[in-house]
Amino acid sequence: GHWVVWLTENTPENQRKVFERNPNLSEATTTFRTADFSLAYLTGLLADINKGMGDGKLPLVSTAALMAQSNRVEVRMTNDDADKAALLLAYDSIGGAIEIKYSVGERVEVEIERKGPKKD
């Protein structure tokens, strides 16, 4: 029942506008935080990273996700190659919006049992 609202311009006027546009919110159950990055910027950045993953431009990136709690895009890389990390960080035109985590030396293998029609 507690709301956290991120504002890139965390001013009393903008807080008032949030309550005007969302009459079900109350001051008692709402906390405002200052966001370094807008949701629009982070969403666009995530889309660009996903595109880069899909077209092979970011080969060491295994996952990317928007993290609302930290107001960042968290990216997991399979190797701590500085040059590949620099390619990734170049997607962030503002700087500081990408948080990289490495999975160096970790390997998770999942065995999938494929089921199909029985062959005689």
Side-chain angles (χ1 to χ4, degrees):
H2 195 83
W3 293 93
V4 176
V5 178
W6 290 87
L7 297 171
T8 54
E9 294 180 29
N10 191 1
T11 63
E13 179 183 343
N14 286 342
Q15 291 178 11
R16 181 182 49 76
K17 288 178 183 178
V18 168
F19 289 122
E20 286 173 1
R21 293 181 184 159
N22 301 279
N24 292 334
L25 292 180
S26 72
E27 289 185 39
T29 61
T30 305
T31 300
F32 291 95
R33 292 192 182 152
T34 302
D36 295 322
F37 308 98
S38 71
L39 181 59
Y41 179 75
L42 293 175
T43 302
L45 176 58
L46 180 60
D48 291 344
I49 291 169
N50 283 329
K51 184 174 186 250
M53 290 169 63
D55 64 18
K57 292 181 181 174
L58 297 172
L60 299 181
V61 174
S62 59
T63 63
L66 198 154
M67 307 304 285
Q69 307 300 347
S70 63
N71 188 234
R72 300 282 185 276
V73 172
E74 181 181 290
V75 177
R76 293 204 178 259
M77 295 184 66
T78 58
N79 189 309
D80 63 353
D81 182 302
D83 292 334
K84 301 295 185 200
L87 287 174
L88 167 66
L89 294 174
Y91 282 75
D92 181 6
S93 62
I94 294 175
I98 297 174
E99 181 178 88
I100 300 174
K101 296 199 175 183
Y102 296 100
S103 299
V104 177
E106 295 177 17
R107 185 175 179 102
V108 178
E109 294 183 7
V110 178
E111 188 174 340
I112 300 173
E113 182 181 349
R114 299 193 188 276
K115 296 186 179 186
K118 290 184 180 182
K119 294 184 178 183
D120 293 331

